Amino acid sequence: MMACLDRMGVLLFIAALCCSPTPLGPQEQRDEARLAAILKKSAEYCRRLDKAALDFTCLEEVKETTHFYTPSTDIYLYDYQFVRKGEEIRERRNLVSVNGKKSNVRDTPLNTASFQYKNVLFGPIGLLSEYWQAYHDYEIVGEEAIRGTAVLIVEATPKPDPPVTHPYGRIWIKPDDGSVLKIAWDQKSLGNYKLAEEWGLANDAEPRITAFTEYRFEKNGLRFPSLNHTDEAYIRKDKRKYTGAEISTTYRGYKFFTVETSVKY
């Protein structure tokens, strides 16, 4: 019996050794430190964005093309107004034109058929704020330049059982201030993915949804949307691609009246 116990003790000891974490090498330690630094700056950036007093207008052009039934393309141009003071948020769209024809419909909702979106400006907060960082794992997966600006590409994936379902994906971050220049959303994290998956199953195809947001405009250290794009496509069994619908929303002609942040670096 004693021999058996000794043998078991040896086996348990070996198992413990196998399960112990492998020490990080010098390069891995540098990568971990680099990631920790950029996540800290991004959390600070999100805190500023989340608490900023904002008052601005811009032109919002929405181009939507659908192919599911009768192919059609519509272009809506809105005068978009956004005001936030304290906890109060007011946004309004006035329809300026439809397919190039002048219009004058005030305080109108989005007239899109296949897609809906909201809170594009605050996309970084749901991925990189101090609160949401606790619910994601992060990894630096590359680096590149966007219009001459060096950025790190960080992959965010949710940990098990997040408090709510929300979009996640890859983030292009400016290392020196933690601001976000682009987010490519993972298709499975999008709100309508289940519907796309069901359509794919019914039509022997797999969803290939491309969705991304770019933040090109900068004011007082905060970045504002320049493009929000979604392409709902499918790959058939014969490997051919079928695009069901796509929408591109461009933002231009910003007029900033208030961009004030109370949180400083």
Side-chain angles (χ1 to χ4, degrees), residues 118-243:
K118 61 181 180 179
N119 298 329
V120 175
L121 171 61
F122 301 115
I125 294 175
L127 285 173
L128 294 167
S129 66
E130 185 175 10
Y131 173 83
W132 279 107
Q133 283 190 23
Y135 294 99
H136 291 87
D137 291 316
Y138 300 90
E139 180 185 3
I140 296 176
V141 294
E143 50 188 301
E144 62 181 54
I146 296 181
R147 298 182 181 88
T149 299
V151 295
L152 291 179
I153 306 172
V154 175
E155 183 92 42
T157 54
K159 294 180 179 180
D161 301 321
V164 295
T165 301
H166 69 290
Y168 56 85
R170 288 193 171 190
I171 320 149
W172 281 250
I173 306 174
K174 194 168 176 240
D176 61 347
D177 63 5
S179 63
V180 173
L181 278 70
K182 180 180 176 180
I183 302 174
W185 306 101
D186 187 290
Q187 66 171 4
K188 293 183 179 180
S189 73
L190 301 176
N192 64 341
Y193 179 72
K194 288 296 183 183
L195 294 176
E197 195 172 35
E198 290 172 3
W199 191 94
L201 287 172
N203 291 273
D204 292 326
E206 294 184 3
R208 289 293 186 273
I209 301 175
T210 300
F212 63 87
T213 307
E214 295 181 353
Y215 299 87
R216 180 177 178 182
F217 298 103
E218 185 272 337
K219 181 69 175 180
N220 291 354
L222 299 182
R223 291 191 170 272
F224 294 81
S226 53
L227 175 64
N228 190 49
H229 178 84
T230 302
D231 180 349
E232 182 182 351
Y234 298 85
I235 303 298
R236 300 185 186 275
K237 283 190 174 181
D238 59 6
K239 305 302 181 183
R240 288 189 301 171
K241 181 180 177 181
Y242 168 74
T243 299

